[in-house]
Amino acid sequence: MMTSLKAKVPVLLFILLLAGCWEAATNLFDIPHYIFPKLTAVLESIFDNANVLGKHFVVTLGEALLGLAFSVVCGILSAIWIDSSALARNTIYPLIVASQTIPIIALSPIMVMWFGYDLGSKIAVVILFTFFPIAMNTADGFRSADTEIGDLLRTMGAGKRDLFMKWKIPSALPSFFTGLKMAAAISVGGATLGEWLGGESGLGMFTKRAANMLRGDDVFAGVLLLSFMGIALFAAAQALEKTMLGQRRTMKS
Amino acid sequence: MSKREKLAEDPQGDALSVQGLHYGFSGEEPLFHDLSFTVKKGEFVSIVATSGMGKTTLFRLLAGLLVPGSGVIAVNGSATAKQNAVGYMPQRDCLMPWRTVQDNAAIGLELQGSSKREARRRVLELLPELGLEGTELKYPHELSGGMRQRVSFLRSLLGGGDLLLLDEPFSALDAMTRTGMQQWLLQVWEKHKKTILFITHDIDEALLLSDRVLVAARRPITELQSVEIELPRPRTYETVLDTRFVALKRALMEQFGRLNHAADAGRESLESIRPASSRSTRVQGGASG
């Protein structure tokens, strides 16, 4: 614990330095608040609007988590399907890969047309963002399972179920967590975009409204909180990975 | 010597019997054609062959991972393709990085339906004699190459029947570790009374460990030349300096050269080498080591 804290000292100092530069530069060059607000003004805005921001924070976090949960379930199921069926591997998998080239942002308004301006469309946009990294990475994880280990278990009498539980799943876990961490980090972006497209609440809606009113400090307050949310979700996924994979994370053979 | 005499009284005691085995990958020249050989219960038999001969394929056939084109493979007298009749130890240790030493070794017992606790208990009992005491909670990446191979061996020992198939288990180890592991394997084999079929490309290793060496030198393998190794046991690394050892090695290497030659010359020269079981002259060994 001590060593991990010690390792973080440089980055914390660097963040403080950047914050200092921000405050100093905005004061020194007298930059208008709608172009680049002072750091102190942003922090002030966070404290002044703590109640409102807190409510919006919870809304956006809820959208991100719901979308993420759906993507985890569907992503894993798709990956299992792709791994277990040669037909799915030859038909679904290439489509999933190719679909990555579709600009998701362009697709997002369709979600509003389908699911309306309520929670549904926000979750749908989050799913658009997070399904692919989870499904792809998990499928790759299944595929990269060491076939020699599978053969060995077969010689010891392992059935289909044994192979899946004791070989495929443990083999795919590291890749799954890679996907989950990516998805956790971008899920906040998905939720924000969903709110931009139309909505009554959430930090995305808050920043958009503040921008329309040229309130730079409020926009930055929202953005800071959104980044914090993204980092927190990523850290949560990482913590989950650490507890699930434990010691073997350090393994590299 | 007493063990060998007992085996002689029990001619039915074949741990493995292969009859008329034919196998080849589609579109390629077959690897085995009408191949027959047997391994007696409690015997330590090495197969020595140059690379690319299909040694590993042979093991995969014996382990039930591949289905022979034709022919019968019977383990302990039963020709059904029942799995876990053999303990297969692949060339790479193939330890599961997500399992500790004890759970890696226990996987075979788990698959046979033992509870995790019972399986761990049996592993823990055996760890000290395998030189793995105190490593039960370690992960494979924390172990040296030699120790990983021991865990892999223990897994085969617990996971299968009385016939162990060891596929070049020591080929990736450095010379010093390897010598130690050979000694260790002999001790474990003598204690547990398993039958071992051992693949190697190292003639010294084959001579040091085996009761019998099977030589294959041409493709497709139609016959394995059997050479009895009548060196006294227990064998130690001093055995390799023994004159009888050297004589056997020379004989084996000559046979290898001749077989390689025979591959060009034709079948007659191959047939002139009769299986060792029908030989009258054997290299006899006294006490040593």
Side-chain angles (χ1 to χ4, degrees), chain B residues 99-119:
Chain B
R99 283 178 170 245
T100 57
V101 166
Q102 63 176 2
D103 289 346
N104 260 297
I107 181 75
L109 294 170
E110 260 177 59
L111 290 171
Q112 284 156 35
S114 300
S115 73
K116 210 158 187 170
R117 238 177 80 204
E118 167 67 13

Side-chain angles (χ1 to χ4, degrees), chain B residues 176-236:
Chain B
M176 296 299 290
T177 315
R178 193 175 181 148
T179 307
M181 291 291 284
Q182 288 164 350
Q183 294 297 317
W184 166 85
L185 178 61
L186 281 180
Q187 284 166 13
V188 176
W189 167 66
E190 274 160 15
K191 181 159 180 226
H192 287 266
K193 312 251 182 296
K194 294 271 182 176
T195 310
I196 292 183
L197 191 57
F198 188 95
I199 288 180
T200 181
H201 53 240
D202 182 339
I203 291 179
D204 278 19
E205 187 171 72
L207 287 173
L208 186 64
L209 297 174
S210 320
D211 293 323
R212 206 145 60 85
V213 174
L214 299 172
V215 183
R218 75 180 219 156
R219 201 178 154 170
I221 301 176
T222 53
E223 205 171 357
L224 290 164
Q225 307 302 321
S226 174
V227 179
E228 296 276 342
I229 311 301
E230 295 269 317
L231 292 169
R233 292 187 189 274
R235 296 177 192 160
T236 67

Side-chain angles (χ1 to χ4, degrees), chain A residues 146 148-159 162-163 166-168 170-171 245-253, chain B residues 60 63 65 83-86 88-90 92 94-99 107-108 110-112 139 141-142 148 155-156 159:
Chain A
D146 190 333
E148 272 190 75
I149 292 179
D151 283 348
L152 191 72
L153 295 186
R154 243 172 245 135
T155 68
M156 297 181 183
D162 293 320
L163 287 173
K166 293 180 197 291
W167 172 50
K168 281 287 188 178
S171 301
L245 301 190
Q247 297 248 28
R248 75 159 150 146
R249 258 188 87 251
T250 48
M251 185 271 322
K252 274 277 171 281
S253 58
Chain B
R60 291 174 66 85
L65 289 170
Q83 276 176 331
N84 74 44
V86 300
Y88 175 43
M89 179 177 171
R92 271 195 317 123
C94 286
L95 295 178
M96 292 174 270
W98 57 86
R99 283 178 170 245
I107 181 75
E110 260 177 59
L111 290 171
Q112 284 156 35
Y139 283 83
H141 69 273
E142 298 174 285
R148 291 170 67 121
R155 177 178 54 186
S156 319

Side-chain angles (χ1 to χ4, degrees), chain B:
Chain B
M1 282 288 124
S2 63
K3 188 159 66 72
R4 192 158 292 123
E5 279 156 19
K6 230 186 272 165
L7 284 172
E9 288 162 17
D10 178 20
Q12 298 301 87
D14 282 345
L16 171 73
S17 147
V18 174
Q19 299 300 330
L21 177 70
H22 182 93
Y23 187 82
F25 296 107
S26 57
E28 282 177 37
E29 191 196 358
L31 288 166
F32 314 108
H33 179 69
D34 197 21
L35 174 67
S36 301
F37 67 96
T38 57
V39 177
K40 287 197 276 293
K41 278 208 173 91
E43 227 183 350
F44 195 129
V45 177
S46 292
I47 297 180
V48 182
T50 43
S51 36
M53 296 289 295
K55 287 173 292 188
T56 298
T57 307
L58 179 62
F59 267 25
R60 291 174 66 85
L61 283 161
L62 299 181
L65 289 170
L66 295 172
V67 180
S70 64
V72 179
I73 295 169
V75 178
N76 285 325
S78 133
T80 48
K82 185 176 135 311
Q83 276 176 331
N84 74 44
V86 300
Y88 175 43
M89 179 177 171
Q91 197 166 351
R92 271 195 317 123
D93 60 64
C94 286
L95 295 178
M96 292 174 270
W98 57 86
R99 283 178 170 245
T100 57
V101 166
Q102 63 176 2
D103 289 346
N104 260 297
I107 181 75
L109 294 170
E110 260 177 59
L111 290 171
Q112 284 156 35
S114 300
S115 73
K116 210 158 187 170
R117 238 177 80 204
E118 167 67 13
R120 279 182 180 167
R121 196 185 56 75
R122 283 195 57 192
V123 169
L124 282 177
E125 271 175 18
L126 286 170
L127 283 182
E129 73 177 77
L130 292 182
L132 291 165
E133 198 164 16
T135 61
E136 59 268 22
L137 295 177
K138 289 208 155 115
Y139 283 83
H141 69 273
E142 298 174 285
L143 301 179
S144 67
M147 288 178 112
R148 291 170 67 121
Q149 288 292 2
R150 284 175 209 222
V151 179
S152 171
F153 179 82
L154 177 56
R155 177 178 54 186
S156 319
L157 197 66
L158 289 172
D162 291 329
L163 174 63
L164 296 182
L165 305 175
L166 311 184
D167 186 357
E168 296 194 39
F170 307 144
S171 62
L173 302 176
D174 61 81
M176 296 299 290
T177 315
R178 193 175 181 148
T179 307
M181 291 291 284
Q182 288 164 350
Q183 294 297 317
W184 166 85
L185 178 61
L186 281 180
Q187 284 166 13
V188 176
W189 167 66
E190 274 160 15
K191 181 159 180 226
H192 287 266
K193 312 251 182 296
K194 294 271 182 176
T195 310
I196 292 183
L197 191 57
F198 188 95
I199 288 180
T200 181
H201 53 240
D202 182 339
I203 291 179
D204 278 19
E205 187 171 72
L207 287 173
L208 186 64
L209 297 174
S210 320
D211 293 323
R212 206 145 60 85
V213 174
L214 299 172
V215 183
R218 75 180 219 156
R219 201 178 154 170
I221 301 176
T222 53
E223 205 171 357
L224 290 164
Q225 307 302 321
S226 174
V227 179
E228 296 276 342
I229 311 301
E230 295 269 317
L231 292 169
R233 292 187 189 274
R235 296 177 192 160
T236 67
Y237 214 66
E238 300 229 324
T239 311
V240 299
L241 306 172
D242 197 298
T243 47
R244 284 159 303 186
F245 184 96
V246 177
L248 271 170
K249 185 176 177 182
R250 182 171 291 132
L252 211 57
M253 289 180 88
E254 271 169 13
Q255 188 165 356
F256 239 105
R258 211 157 124 212
L259 283 168
N260 276 327
H261 244 42
D264 310 317
R267 247 190 95 76
E268 312 89 83
S269 51
L270 243 177
E271 278 165 353
S272 69
I273 303 163
R274 313 244 331 260
S277 52
S278 57
R279 277 188 197 174
S280 53
T281 51
R282 285 180 181 177
V283 184
Q284 296 293 329
S288 115

